[in-house]
Amino acid sequence: MTTMKRPEDAPAAFQAAWNAHDMTALGALFDEGATFVNRFGHYVQGVDEIVALHEPIHQTIYRDSTLKNELIDVVPIADGAVVIHFWSRLAAGAAHPAGPHEVDTLILAVLTKQDESWRIRALENVTLTNPRTGEPVLRG
C-alpha cells in the first residue's frame, strides 16, 4: 500500500491503486470522511462509499483498464492543506461495453496532512469534452 509522504505523491498513488485494481489501497489514500465526485457527477462520502463506488466497476467494465496520471500543480491553502490538480487518462480495455478507448479527465483534490502522511479529503473528476457537442476530447 502506498503512503503519500508529499502531496505530489497523490497522482502516482491513485494510479498505482487503480492499475492494480486494489480498492483497499485506493481507499487508504482517502481521509475517513472524504468526498468523491466521479466523472459522471456521482457524489459519495466516506471511504466505505468511495470503495463501494469503485469495487463493482473494477470487477466488470474497468477490470482491464489502466490510468496514467500527470501532476499539474500543488497549491498550498493552509498549514497542512493543499489543492492539487492532475491530468488522468483512462484506457478502458476490452471488458468495457464500448470496447477499448481512452478518456481524459482533470482531477482536483484537496489533501490534508495527518501525522507524517497526506490523505485525500475531497476529489472531483471532470471529463474533458467539447462544450459545443459534448464529445470526449483527448488532450495533446
Side-chain angles (χ1 to χ4, degrees):
M1 207 169 310
T2 303
T3 299
M4 297 183 294
K5 295 291 185 187
R6 307 170 308 135
E8 294 86 351
D9 297 336
F14 192 92
Q15 175 182 306
W18 183 284
N19 291 346
H21 306 285
D22 183 344
M23 297 304 99
T24 300
L26 185 77
L29 302 176
F30 289 85
D31 178 81
E32 192 58 40
T35 59
F36 188 100
V37 180
N38 75 5
R39 67 189 188 100
F40 302 108
H42 187 143
Y43 170 91
V44 295
Q45 185 172 20
V47 171
D48 291 343
E49 287 189 30
I50 293 168
V51 170
L53 178 67
H54 288 88
E55 277 182 330
I57 60 175
H58 279 270
Q59 294 170 0
T60 57
I61 65 171
Y62 288 147
R63 71 178 178 263
D64 57 354
S65 68
T66 58
L67 281 185
K68 183 174 180 185
N69 294 336
E70 178 185 336
L71 181 67
I72 299 170
D73 62 16
V74 177
V75 181
I77 55 174
D79 188 37
V82 300
V83 170
I84 66 168
H85 296 91
F86 59 97
W87 297 115
S88 187
R89 177 164 287 172
L90 169 69
H96 196 282
H101 64 282
E102 293 181 331
V103 176
D104 277 351
T105 65
L106 177 60
I107 294 178
L108 178 150
V110 176
L111 281 72
T112 56
K113 190 169 187 183
Q114 300 175 9
D115 299 318
E116 296 303 313
S117 65
W118 290 80
R119 294 279 181 266
I120 300 168
R121 181 69 179 131
L123 185 145
E124 184 168 357
N125 195 5
V126 178
T127 303
L128 303 183
T129 60
N130 180 320
R132 291 188 172 90
T133 66
E135 291 295 316
V137 174
L138 289 178
R139 63 184 192 84

